[in-house]
Amino acid sequence: MGSILLFIGLHLGPTALKNADHRAAIPNPALTAFSALIGEWETTGTHPQLPGKTLHGQASFQWLEGGAFVLMHASLAEEGFPANVAIFGSDNTRQQWFMLYFDERQVSRKCDVTFQGNVLKWWRSGPEFSQRYTFTLANDGNTIVSRGEMSKDGKNWEPDLDLTYTRIR
């Protein structure tokens, strides 16, 4: 099927390929929980390598392709914290969620994701270090408290970036 769509796209132009896939730009029922995140957020937080410093930034979550995916943009005003973009999606046969991350350093990562009740978690295990984040949404839906941790050996975890998200839209 993919080679047929590629053939159509090459011979009829990008409009034909876009229109051929348009029917899939619909809400993904597996991502329903993510509706609580949709909007724009101000962030404030701390990092253990900058004791006593408050970090300020912004984040946004929006539906992508009619709700087939969720798109996240995030940045902090402090140097050394890269602006990033991520796409959340699912594998319905495995009942799993994933996040594909990319930042301005040209770093890309795949994270595993869970979202149960009001708690979103994502994590990755890498050869150089591992990271995990827990996001807890307040009952009113206007605040998220995130706690980050990292491990250089996969066993001993230390604090990483902590942020509080406050909804602005």
Side-chain angles (χ1 to χ4, degrees), residues 17-31:
L17 188 58
K18 182 179 176 186
N19 291 338
D21 287 336
H22 183 68
R23 289 184 304 227
I26 59 174
N28 178 346
L31 299 179

Side-chain angles (χ1 to χ4, degrees), residues 61-72:
F61 294 86
Q62 62 189 37
W63 295 114
L64 183 62
E65 293 299 320
F69 302 97
V70 173
L71 176 66
M72 178 187 81

Side-chain angles (χ1 to χ4, degrees), residues 5-134:
L5 291 177
L6 178 59
F7 176 79
I8 292 169
L10 291 174
H11 291 281
L12 299 178
T15 303
L17 188 58
K18 182 179 176 186
N19 291 338
D21 287 336
H22 183 68
R23 289 184 304 227
I26 59 174
N28 178 346
L31 299 179
T32 301
F34 287 82
S35 64
L37 303 176
I38 303 302
E40 295 182 27
W41 304 80
E42 284 184 343
T43 61
T44 57
T46 60
H47 193 280
Q49 293 182 359
L50 298 170
K53 178 134 180 109
T54 300
L55 306 171
H56 298 275
Q58 56 192 10
S60 66
F61 294 86
Q62 62 189 37
W63 295 114
L64 183 62
E65 293 299 320
F69 302 97
V70 173
L71 176 66
M72 178 187 81
H73 287 103
S75 63
L76 291 171
E78 186 71 29
E79 262 190 62
F81 294 91
N84 58 78
V85 61
I87 297 174
F88 294 87
S90 65
D91 180 330
N92 69 310
T93 59
R94 294 185 175 173
Q95 297 182 342
Q96 295 176 336
W97 293 319
F98 304 97
M99 178 180 75
L100 295 176
Y101 168 98
F102 183 77
D103 69 35
E104 64 184 304
R105 303 168 298 174
Q106 299 183 3
V107 168
S108 59
R109 297 183 173 137
K110 179 227 168 232
C111 297
D112 293 297
V113 177
T114 62
F115 203 149
Q116 297 178 341
N118 67 335
V119 179
L120 167 67
K121 295 182 179 185
W122 68 65
W123 65 94
R124 64 175 288 277
S125 297
E128 70 286 4
F129 65 95
S130 298
Q131 289 177 291
R132 61 188 182 195
Y133 287 90
T134 301

Side-chain angles (χ1 to χ4, degrees), residues 147-166:
R147 299 283 178 242
E149 295 178 295
M150 70 173 292
S151 174
K152 294 178 182 166
D153 62 10
K155 298 176 191 169
N156 300 302
W157 292 88
E158 56 192 61
D160 198 0
L161 180 64
D162 289 344
L163 291 173
T164 298
Y165 294 66
T166 303

